[in-house]
Amino acid sequence: MTPIEEAFFDKATWTVSYVVYDRPGGTCAVVDSVLDYDPKSGRTRTASADRLIDFVRDKDLKVEWLLETHAHADHLSAAHYLRKKVGGKIAIGAAIADVQNVFKGIFNLEPAFRPDGSQFDHLLQDGESFAIGQLRAEAMSVPGHTPACMAYKVGDAVFVGDTLFMPDVGTARCDFPGGDSRKLYRSIRKLLELPPQTRLFMCHDYPPQGREATWETTVAAQRAGNIHVHDGVSEEEFVAMRTRRDATLEMPTLILPSVQINIRAGELPPQEGNGLSYLKIPINAI
Ligand SMILES: [Fe+2]
């Protein structure tokens, strides 16, 4: 059965969220939802997540999964909010525990925060298959950008997370804690071994001037034209390019808030005595 995908592009963070479903009136998974966050005021909003909810209700879909490709560093996940509103199980790669361990240290999180993935409803293993209604899906471990990155293959479509970007943009950075460009190269080659007509859905688009944001491509198009990893680029060449390029990139605006929320599956940190939640800024640590 061929999946149906609906994409939602968030201009504020260049993130693409997806609803992938078997049929109207059927079952869906939501991939990489966005909780809007204004760093100036510390306020969250749910306009982006509510667009997903409207779509799901309009198509009369049962939400089975709320999938995260990884603990994002550029936007907050709306998975926790969505689960409350429309249900679904929040799932992420099992290696999230490694990511939680690193950031529990950096943010000196409360002792009750357990870096074991228990904040999520389900931890996916490499190669694990699962159902989205009548669709068959499979988790593919694609570490490199982070140690816990997963791509999700649903029928002939793959939601690639932060691995590949559109061919004219290239690939994801590897300089966050636990990132590894050698691993990313191997993960990308694994994706590019899929049949050439496989449809690939990006997690982000950073369109060069003069073109509109877009997010769907194919294995064949990536192998022919990705500026960083087209066929013929060796692992050594890729690692050298990625290392050079990552050294020039600024941290994403929302990395500190994003990571603190996303390792909690989108839930805010525990309220303090006055009923408010707080985010921390570690000084000279990232
Ligand atoms: Fe990311």
Side-chain angles (χ1 to χ4, degrees), residues 12-272:
T13 65
W14 314 94
T15 301
V16 195
S17 305
Y18 297 94
V19 176
V20 52
Y21 60 105
D22 52 4
R23 61 185 171 81
T27 302
C28 75
V30 176
V31 183
D32 289 335
S33 60
V34 173
L35 182 70
D36 308 307
Y37 178 73
D38 172 23
K40 297 195 198 87
S41 62
R43 274 202 170 271
T44 62
R45 284 185 315 113
T46 59
S48 295
D50 290 336
R51 278 202 294 159
L52 299 173
I53 293 173
D54 289 347
F55 180 83
V56 161
R57 290 196 173 139
D58 189 51
K59 295 283 180 205
D60 191 22
L61 299 171
K62 170 179 179 281
V63 179
E64 188 145 22
W65 294 100
L66 301 164
L67 301 173
E68 297 290 326
T69 55
H70 61 294
H72 304 275
D74 47 39
H75 68 271
L76 281 58
S77 165
H80 183 77
Y81 171 76
L82 289 173
R83 187 177 60 186
K84 227 170 28 194
K85 290 286 193 182
V86 291
K89 297 182 287 285
I90 306 176
I92 198 165
I96 188 65
D98 300 338
V99 177
Q100 289 176 319
N101 241 312
V102 168
F103 286 109
K104 180 170 186 178
I106 291 174
F107 289 106
N108 195 28
L109 296 180
E110 73 279 5
F113 179 84
R114 290 192 292 158
D116 60 1
S118 55
Q119 299 77 4
F120 297 82
D121 299 310
H122 187 75
L123 299 181
L124 288 155
Q125 304 291 336
D126 184 26
E128 183 173 340
S129 61
F130 56 99
I132 305 169
Q134 296 173 46
L135 299 168
R136 295 306 303 167
E138 183 191 325
M140 297 173 69
S141 172
V142 287
H145 171 66
T146 80
C149 285
M150 280 288 181
Y152 298 114
K153 185 173 179 304
V154 186
D156 70 330
V158 183
F159 301 89
V160 301
D162 281 3
T163 53
L164 294 156
F165 295 139
M166 291 303 285
D168 58 352
V169 179
T171 56
R173 66 195 295 176
C174 296
D175 58 332
F176 297 152
D180 183 327
S181 55
R182 207 164 284 283
K183 285 190 182 154
L184 181 63
Y185 181 87
R186 292 173 191 175
S187 295
I188 287 173
R189 291 317 307 179
K190 178 164 127 178
L191 291 170
L192 297 182
E193 291 302 317
L194 291 166
Q197 68 279 12
T198 305
R199 297 178 301 138
L200 302 179
F201 292 88
M202 308 299 108
C203 180
H204 294 287
D205 189 35
Y206 308 98
Q209 224 175 8
R211 93 151 159 73
E212 289 288 303
T214 180
W215 37 79
E216 180 179 349
T217 176
T218 62
V219 165
Q222 292 283 17
R223 291 183 66 155
N226 186 291
I227 56 169
H228 294 166
V229 280
H230 58 80
D231 282 356
V233 175
S234 72
E235 184 171 317
E236 296 311 319
E237 286 168 327
F238 177 78
V239 168
M241 176 285 300
R242 203 56 270 173
T243 307
R244 249 189 344 264
R245 184 164 159 67
D246 286 348
T248 70
L249 300 176
E250 287 186 14
M251 282 291 127
T253 311
L254 297 185
I255 184 169
L256 297 174
S258 298
V259 168
Q260 290 176 78
I261 300 295
N262 294 343
I263 60 173
R264 298 178 191 270
E267 192 170 9
L268 302 182
Q271 293 174 357
E272 301 200 1

